[in-house]
Each structure stands twice: as C-alpha cells, then as structure tokens.
Amino acid sequence: WTRDINDPTHNISVRNVLFPSIPSTFCFSWFTLSERSPSCPDFSSLSLFSGSFFLATYNVNGQPPKESLAPWLSCSTSPPDVYCVGFQELDLSKEAFFFNDTPREPEWMRAVSEALHPDAKYALVKLVRLVGIMLLVYVKREHAEFLSEVEAETVGTGIMGRMGNKGAVAIRFHFHNSDVCVVNSHLAAHIEEYERRNQDYRDICSRLQFRLLDLSRPPLNIMKHNVVLWVGDLNYRISDLDVDQVKELITKNDYETLHNYDQLKRQLDEEAVFEGFIEGEIQFQPTYKYDTGSNDWDTSEKCRAPAWCDRILWRGKNITQSSYQSHMTLKTSDHKPVSSLLQIGIKVVNEEAYKKKFEEIVRTIDKMENECIPSVTLSRRELHFQDVKYMEHHTESLTLYNDGQVPCQFEFIKKLDEPTYSKPWLTANPPKGFLAQGAEVDIDLEVFVNRATAPDLNLGLEQIEDILVLHLERGKDYFLSVSGNYLSSCYGTPITTLCQLREPIRDMPLPTSLLSTLLSPVLQSKGGENPEVGEKPLGIPKEIWMMVDHLFRNAIKQEDLFQQPGLRSEFQEIRDYLDTGVPDSLPGSNHSVAEALLLFLESLPEPVVPYSLYQQCLDCCSSPMLCKKVISKLPQCHKNVFDYLAAFLRELLKNSEHNHLDVNILGENGRNSTAAGQNLYSLYRLFCERLH
C-alpha cells in the first residue's frame, strides 16, 4: 500500500515547526556560525539514525511488466526505510521520444507498488521521468513526516547533447536533518564510447540543478548534498577481452579478474568520473546482454559480450553496504535488475537542544548586528575574458572575504533601467549568498555566447563589457568591471553576410560600417555585388557547403546520422575550422559534423525560411504548388541554401536502407534543433513536400 506525499503543503521540518517566520538561509547560517564563533558553545543537538535504503535499477528494454517484481524489490529480510527504484528504456517508441508520454509509466509504477516489502506500508515521495528514464522514491509511512523540500529535475544528454533518449533524472529531499539526492541515469551506449559516457556524467553533474521553493537560496547541484545515491544503466563495458574469454571467466566465477577489465573500474581508478563515489564489491555475473525471456547470453547476430552495464554507487559519510546483487529470476528484459541495500547514518535533530541553541545564537547575532556594519574584501574588481568563442564557457573567479564583525548577505543587483544584474552573456555563480564572519566564498563569473547573443557581438554592435553591482544587505555596494574580446564566428552571422565573405570570418576584420553595408536591404534585394568588397557574392555560405559536402562524401550511408550526438570537443574544432580555415580539412566525426550543421542552422539570426514567411509555410504545407510559391519568395541566398539542403536530404533518403533515415526523423530533428522560435520547423514542412 502506498500514499503520495508529494504535496506542496507537505513541507514539514523541525525548523518550520519551531520557527516558521525565520528564513531558511538564516537558519542555515547559525550552523556555520556556531562552528566558527568562540562565543558559541559546541553544537550537540544532532544524533545519527541508521536508515536502510534499498536502491534498485532495471533496464526493461521497452517491455511492459510481465512478472512480479517481488523477487527483486522484496529480497531483504526486513523492510527497508526508503526505496529508490530506477528504470531505463521504459518505452522505446517514437511517441515516447517526441511527446514524452507513455502508458508504460503507470504500468511499471503499479508493478513496483505491488512488489514493495509486504511487512511495511509505504508512501510515494516522488516520481520523475524523462522519456524512458524513470525514478520512484518511496518511504515508510512512519518516516513521511520527516521528509521535506522534495524536488525533481531532469537532464537530457542524448541527440545534440540535449534530447532525453539518454540522460538522467534526479530526486532530492531533506530527511530529518540530512540532504539526500538520488540520481538515475542512462549513459551513452557502445563499447568504444566510454569517453562519451564520461562526458555524459560530467554534463549531468554540471547541468542538473534543483531550484528550491525558498527563492532566497541558490540552486543546489548534485554534489551539494550530504548523501548522493547513483543508480542506472551506466553502459560501461568490458574491454580487451573477446566474448569467449569473458564467458570463460564467468563460468569460473572469477569475477575479480573480470572486473579488472571493466571500463567503469578503470575510469574510477583514474578518477576520470564519479570522483568520491564508492561501489561495492561485485560478486554477481554481468547483467547484460541476455536473450529476452531466458538466462542465456545474447545469441543474436551481434552477439554482444556480457558486461556490468547496470550499477549502483554512493557518496557520503556513515554509509555501509549490506548487499549488492543481481536478480536472475526476472527475464522480462535483455538486462537483469540489480539491487543494493545501504545502511545510511541520517542526522536527526534533538528538538529541545535545537531550540535552545538556536535562541542562544540568535541573541549573539542580534548583539553583533547592533554593533557592526557588514563589510567584505574582494580579491579583484577587474575581470578580463580573453578570446571568447561561440558556445564555449569562459570562467573567471574572484574571492569574497567577510572581514567585518557580523555575517552578511550579498547579492548582485540590477542597475537602473536594466532588466537583470548582468548582460545576457554573463552569469555569476552564486549570484547571492550568506557569508559568516571570517568566511570566504569563490564567485565564478561565466561568459557564454549563444545564438541569442552572438549576432550583435559578430556585428560589433555589442562588446564583452559590463559593470556588475555587488550589494551587501545593510552595507555598501561594490562595483566589478568585466571586459574581454569576442572572436567573430560564422555561427550567429546572417546568411546574406556570409555569402559576401570569401575568406574565413576570422580573417576579415571588418568594421561595423562595412558589415552594415553587407546587411543593407538594398543589397539584399538586388542580390548584386558588394561595392566595397568588389566581388559577386557566393551562392551559399561556404561554411554550409563545407559541412554538407563532408557529409555527402563521407556519411551518406552513416547509420543514425542526425540521431547520435557528436562530441563537444569536436564541435569546437569544427567551429574553429569554419571561422579560421585551420587546419586544412574539416575535423571531427560524421556525427559531430552533422550536429555542427544543425547548430549552425539553429544559430542563424534570420532562419532559412524567414520569420515573415513562417505562417505562410504552415498554411501552405499541404499543397506542393503553394509550397513552391512560398519558396519563390525567399531572398536569393536563402533560396539557394534551401534548395541545397533539400537536395542533400534527398540524397540521404536515397540511402535510407543504410542510414535508416526517413522524412519524419529528419523533420523532427529539424524541429527539435531549435529551442526558441522553432526556426527550422517551417523549413521541415517545406522539405517534406519537396522530398515527397
């Protein structure tokens, strides 16, 4: 039996009960103050409660539940306090991928609820799902009142590094006085892609942030929790052994030797991923790949080598593992489910000691605030960002030190008549915070130029220049100067401008006035020569030709083209090549070039089909004749690009037997490659008519 405690009114904590009017940031601050201030006695209101956490992961290969999950979820002798159950590949249909809706969710949720330990009653804390990655957290009913601040987030790392066919879902909560984060991830597949899996892990850690109900507190990332529990199909394989050698070691139950060839173990030993995490000793045979409905190894044509794809790791103090096992009796999928039972020391507050200590520290703080005014010292007030590039993070740090006599609140505030505290390409992390007396905090200022900010920077209409105002509550303001130089890029530059440039854009130090001439409406309408450049414009931007020509020559039969993401490092190399002409040939894998092409089209300030014709495209998409009429209205450079891309896509479809592409896949990738404005969707609708 389960009950859902995911209710906004269910936000119970000792602090809320005792001091409902005190902000959470203030309550957090006195823990630090009690550690640092000699006037405060030692804090002794915390004790440890040993809670049992049952962690489970299962890649179900798109199958519905066909058997009871009790042998997996009720295998412990006594009922655990908390269940954390993760699934991958819940639904492999295109509908689940494109619309994030699937009937599998209630089916598997019901199967889990029915299989929980029969000797206890449980409440559902939270369910979160991203396409086929789902995570459920249950807690014993008697513990439900001690859970609060329940939040869930998702991160996609699949196609273009964003789509949800791969990625992670996470649930965090405050249990008694410990912050717990549970992550369920599905990382990149294929034995040779371990670096891609490492990158997926890093992307998940950097991009997954929980925005709390208390807006005065900055977002929390995964590592800002006392306990982190990580389950999932991590997809790390066994290297340097052939299939027969792997199976021979399994037959001998020599898992220790086999584990030495495990990619995840090697990456952990090299501290390349999961730094600070622990995995228990593996004493069970690999959980992948089996013939569905049996315990026989894969007999398909590919004959995959067995591997420990499904793993469970943890990070934190006072954690011991009671069991770590697979469950061979379940045969629904080509994977076997895995479980781990952990005993975790959860911090519990003694309410009377808590209240007494809190009141004592509040009196101390009141006295200090009446006597002193906040002040801080900044390690630097001028920050320069050298050679900023498109879609490449650049970070400069400064240290804020509280040299005053009292704790202080700091925040970057917006200047007069400006909507935000900084230009759109600049962010501060953290933008606000609490600083105890004598404490210091590192503030990262990050410059990131994307398709929204690149056009003005490319044209010289905007510079990497800003002034930030750092405000202290009840104190003075500090001013930080931010400067830098942006390296112009073909990404974020209009098609018409690129057609005027025969050399790489980085070799053309054009002044703003000349770029304005290149963009003049008269020049665009006439389609003639640029009087200052003196040459007839190119039919299409050379950058598009380079990428399409590379794909045509090398990837026309590439399987999963435009569906498998490339590497971020290779995209940067491709971008630099297009902008500088160095090295002599286009670098990167076929998948990286394909993704770079999509990102290029996404970055255009005015899409191939201009915004002014967007509605006409949607209205006319059912009629080939009307589509041709709309295409004839395109500016000449845009029409050339449209025809060129349509011809390339037509060639791709001629080889669909090899690359497995169809009109719907190409169209949906076009639509999903633009997060704002759906720049390419009208292009896709016209493509469909042209390709048919």
Side-chain angles (χ1 to χ4, degrees):
W1 183 92
T2 63
R3 180 175 62 89
D4 190 352
I5 65 170
N6 183 26
D7 189 313
T9 61
H10 185 89
N11 190 21
I12 302 172
S13 69
V14 176
R15 176 183 61 78
N16 291 337
V17 173
L18 296 179
F19 307 102
S21 62
I22 303 297
S24 60
T25 51
F26 188 74
C27 291
F28 171 77
S29 69
W30 64 260
F31 281 98
T32 307
L33 182 66
S34 66
E35 294 173 356
R36 295 181 178 272
S37 175
S39 63
C40 298
D42 292 337
F43 181 71
S44 58
S45 62
L46 287 178
S47 60
L48 289 180
F49 151 69
S50 181
S52 57
F53 282 64
F54 189 93
L55 311 182
T57 179
Y58 194 6
N59 183 320
V60 297
N61 193 31
Q63 301 298 313
K66 302 175 182 178
E67 54 194 342
S68 171
L69 304 183
W72 172 37
L73 299 179
S74 297
C75 63
S76 58
T77 55
S78 58
D81 296 303
V82 180
Y83 273 100
C84 307
V85 184
F87 291 97
Q88 306 84 39
E89 295 190 359
L90 202 72
D91 192 334
L92 299 176
S93 67
K94 292 183 179 179
E95 290 77 12
F97 179 72
F98 292 129
F99 305 108
N100 199 27
D101 187 23
T102 172
R104 296 284 187 264
E105 178 181 311
E107 293 174 359
W108 280 103
M109 178 183 173
R110 188 180 310 110
V112 170
S113 299
E114 293 172 352
L116 299 180
H117 205 289
D119 294 340
K121 294 182 178 180
Y122 290 91
L124 175 65
V125 177
K126 191 78 172 179
L127 180 152
V128 60
R129 182 176 60 81
L130 174 67
V131 187
I133 310 170
M134 184 170 75
L135 176 63
L136 304 98
V137 174
Y138 295 85
V139 65
K140 276 185 179 178
R141 287 184 61 188
E142 57 262 36
H143 297 313
E145 63 178 303
F146 302 110
L147 264 78
S148 62
E149 301 179 16
V150 179
E151 299 291 338
E153 289 294 342
T154 66
V155 166
T157 62
I159 298 170
M160 295 183 65
R162 297 284 173 176
M163 300 302 290
N165 58 315
K166 293 291 189 292
V169 298
I171 296 173
R172 62 94 52 198
F173 52 88
H174 194 71
F175 188 25
H176 285 286
N177 206 56
S178 292
D179 288 321
V180 180
C181 178
V182 187
V183 183
N184 174 27
S185 68
H186 191 189
L187 307 186
H190 305 304
I191 187 170
E192 70 278 2
E193 295 289 348
Y194 69 91
E195 288 186 355
R196 178 68 203 188
R197 289 187 273 279
N198 293 353
Q199 180 175 306
D200 285 351
Y201 164 78
R202 290 189 289 268
D203 286 345
I204 291 167
C205 291
S206 64
R207 289 168 46 203
L208 198 149
Q209 293 194 340
F210 297 95
R211 302 194 177 277
L212 305 179
L213 292 176
D214 185 350
L215 299 179
S216 63
R217 295 172 60 183
L220 288 178
N221 62 32
I222 293 173
M223 301 307 171
K224 289 292 180 67
H225 293 77
N226 304 121
V227 176
V228 181
L229 309 173
W230 200 301
V231 307
D233 179 358
L234 307 187
N235 251 325
Y236 287 93
R237 308 301 173 90
I238 293 173
S239 299
D240 303 329
L241 293 177
D242 60 32
V243 175
D244 293 335
Q245 290 173 315
V246 173
K247 291 181 179 179
E248 181 180 356
L249 289 173
I250 295 172
T251 302
K252 296 177 179 178
N253 291 328
D254 191 356
Y255 301 131
E256 181 178 357
T257 300
L258 185 61
H259 193 213
N260 290 327
Y261 295 91
D262 176 69
Q263 290 179 343
L264 179 56
K265 181 182 185 302
R266 291 180 174 181
Q267 297 304 301
L268 287 170
D269 292 343
E270 296 174 8
E271 297 184 348
V273 289
F274 292 101
E275 187 173 356
F277 281 82
I278 298 174
E279 182 182 24
E281 183 180 0
I282 296 180
Q283 289 295 329
F284 52 88
Q285 69 183 47
T287 57
Y288 175 85
K289 178 181 184 182
Y290 295 87
D291 287 340
T292 302
S294 74
N295 288 332
D296 299 327
W297 297 115
D298 179 24
T299 59
S300 68
E301 181 180 351
K302 294 183 178 180
C303 193
R304 304 281 193 188
W308 286 296
C309 291
D310 311 282
R311 311 292 274 269
I312 297 175
L313 302 93
W314 71 87
R315 185 177 191 266
K317 298 179 180 179
N318 302 309
I319 303 176
T320 58
Q321 188 176 64
S322 301
S323 69
Y324 190 21
Q325 59 184 317
S326 65
H327 299 269
M328 300 295 294
T329 57
L330 272 69
K331 303 175 182 178
T332 298
S333 172
D334 56 357
H335 289 248
K336 296 299 181 182
V338 174
S339 69
S340 173
L341 184 63
L342 300 181
Q343 300 298 323
I344 302 178
I346 300 296
K347 292 182 287 187
V348 179
V349 174
N350 181 308
E351 296 185 11
E352 291 187 6
Y354 182 101
K355 182 175 181 180
K356 181 179 179 181
K357 174 60 66 176
F358 187 92
E359 292 173 345
E360 179 182 345
I361 294 178
V362 167
R363 287 193 297 269
T364 302
I365 292 177
D366 286 343
K367 180 180 178 181
M368 295 170 63
E369 289 184 338
N370 290 333
E371 295 174 351
C372 306
I373 297 176
S375 68
V376 297
T377 299
L378 282 72
S379 63
R380 54 196 297 203
R381 299 197 187 190
E382 295 183 358
L383 298 98
H384 183 76
F385 293 84
Q386 184 72 26
D387 294 343
V388 176
K389 298 180 180 180
Y390 180 78
M391 282 191 69
E392 188 169 307
H393 294 271
H394 295 259
T395 303
E396 293 287 337
S397 300
L398 63 100
T399 300
L400 191 64
Y401 173 71
N402 184 353
D403 59 359
Q405 300 300 311
V406 294
C408 68
Q409 293 258 14
F410 67 88
E411 180 180 5
F412 288 99
I413 60 174
K414 61 182 181 180
K415 300 179 283 293
L416 186 65
D417 298 329
E418 294 195 6
T420 59
Y421 70 82
S422 70
K423 297 289 182 63
W425 39 260
L426 177 63
T427 56
N429 186 31
K432 62 172 68 174
F434 179 89
L435 206 55
Q437 178 189 359
E440 63 181 37
V441 63
D442 291 330
I443 298 177
D444 294 331
L445 296 184
E446 182 179 72
V447 170
F448 183 72
V449 177
N450 57 21
R451 65 191 184 92
T453 54
D456 286 349
L457 288 166
N458 283 331
L459 294 177
L461 303 177
E462 177 68 57
Q463 304 294 329
I464 303 293
E465 293 178 356
D466 200 3
I467 300 293
L468 299 184
V469 181
L470 181 64
H471 172 72
L472 296 187
E473 186 175 339
R474 297 179 298 103
K476 65 178 183 179
D477 294 338
Y478 299 81
F479 297 90
L480 283 76
S481 173
V482 176
S483 62
N485 67 295
Y486 178 69
L487 300 179
S488 297
S489 175
C490 60
Y491 285 81
T493 299
I495 291 176
T496 308
T497 301
L498 293 174
C499 286
Q500 302 292 332
L501 304 180
R502 293 181 174 273
E503 300 297 327
I505 193 169
R506 205 80 64 75
D507 293 344
M508 304 286 289
L510 303 178
T512 303
S513 59
L514 183 52
L515 285 175
S516 299
T517 300
L518 292 172
L519 286 173
S520 67
V522 174
L523 181 63
Q524 294 184 35
S525 62
K526 292 182 178 180
E529 295 184 1
N530 184 335
E532 296 193 46
V533 176
E535 294 182 343
K536 187 176 181 180
L538 300 171
I540 63 171
K542 58 186 176 303
E543 293 81 4
I544 292 180
W545 178 85
M546 291 176 184
M547 290 186 281
V548 171
D549 182 66
H550 176 92
L551 295 174
F552 179 76
R553 287 185 291 104
N554 300 290
I556 202 72
K557 297 181 180 181
Q558 176 76 53
E559 185 176 356
D560 294 334
L561 191 67
F562 292 111
Q563 297 182 81
Q564 180 174 324
L567 291 174
R568 181 179 304 169
S569 59
E570 292 185 348
F571 164 73
Q572 294 172 353
E573 294 174 358
I574 294 168
R575 176 206 59 207
D576 290 345
Y577 170 78
L578 297 176
D579 291 340
T580 65
V582 178
D584 295 333
S585 60
L586 191 65
S589 67
N590 294 336
H591 293 299
S592 295
V593 174
E595 183 171 356
L597 175 61
L598 291 178
L599 291 173
F600 180 90
L601 296 174
E602 180 187 35
S603 73
L604 293 173
E606 183 75 17
V608 177
V609 177
Y611 292 112
S612 59
L613 299 178
Y614 177 68
Q615 188 58 47
Q616 293 184 49
C617 293
L618 297 180
D619 295 339
C620 301
C621 63
S622 60
S623 169
M625 292 301 297
L626 293 177
C627 285
K628 292 180 180 179
K629 184 177 180 181
V630 172
I631 295 172
S632 68
K633 296 180 181 179
L634 299 180
Q636 188 59 49
C637 289
H638 288 243
K639 184 176 184 300
N640 293 344
V641 171
F642 177 89
D643 291 337
Y644 186 62
L645 292 176
F648 171 59
L649 295 182
R650 193 179 299 112
E651 292 300 319
L652 284 178
L653 292 179
K654 289 179 181 179
N655 291 273
S656 60
E657 180 180 352
H658 301 284
N659 57 38
H660 301 155
L661 294 174
D662 58 35
V663 171
N664 290 327
I665 292 176
L666 290 174
E668 288 297 336
N669 274 293
R671 181 172 67 173
N672 288 320
S673 67
T674 57
Q678 294 187 336
N679 292 10
L680 296 179
Y681 189 48
S682 56
L683 185 63
Y684 151 59
R685 301 299 293 268
L686 292 178
F687 278 161
C688 290
E689 293 303 323
R690 178 66 65 91
L691 295 173
H692 280 308

